[in-house]
Amino acid sequence: MKKLIEEGLVKEVDDGYIVSKVVLEDYIRIRSMVLPNSIFLASFFISSLVLFVIISLFYSGNDTSSIFAGLVIATASAYFVRDVVRKIKRF
């Protein structure tokens, strides 16, 4: 407790101790929800993947660069979704 008080994270009051500062390294607080920062990247890549698939369906983008772009976006989406799930479980 002494170290927490020295760091300014906890304050001693008459009834005991209170938290004076909450440190959330990779999280953002929106009202009462605490979300990992990577949720924004996950939602960006998922929406990009959906948009890419829709555009590819209408414009028949079946060439090699189109397939590669789809794989890159899908891989980034999967990575950030995995990161969000891992951080939510840990929190």
Side-chain angles (χ1 to χ4, degrees), residues 5-69:
I5 293 171
E6 288 174 4
E7 293 293 326
L9 299 174
V10 174
K11 289 183 183 177
E12 189 171 6
V13 294
D14 297 334
D15 297 337
Y17 298 94
I18 61 168
V19 176
S20 62
K21 188 184 220 182
V22 177
V23 179
L24 297 173
E25 177 180 299
D26 288 336
Y27 296 87
I28 187 166
R29 183 175 168 186
I30 300 174
R31 295 188 187 240
S32 63
M33 297 185 325
V34 178
L35 301 169
N37 286 337
S38 54
I39 199 164
F40 299 109
L41 288 168
S43 62
F44 170 76
F45 281 110
I46 289 170
S47 58
S48 295
L49 183 61
V50 169
L51 186 61
F52 177 79
V53 168
I54 291 170
I55 289 172
S56 292
L57 289 174
F58 285 115
Y59 294 106
S60 347
N62 291 333
D63 59 341
T64 306
S65 61
S66 241
I67 293 169
F68 178 73

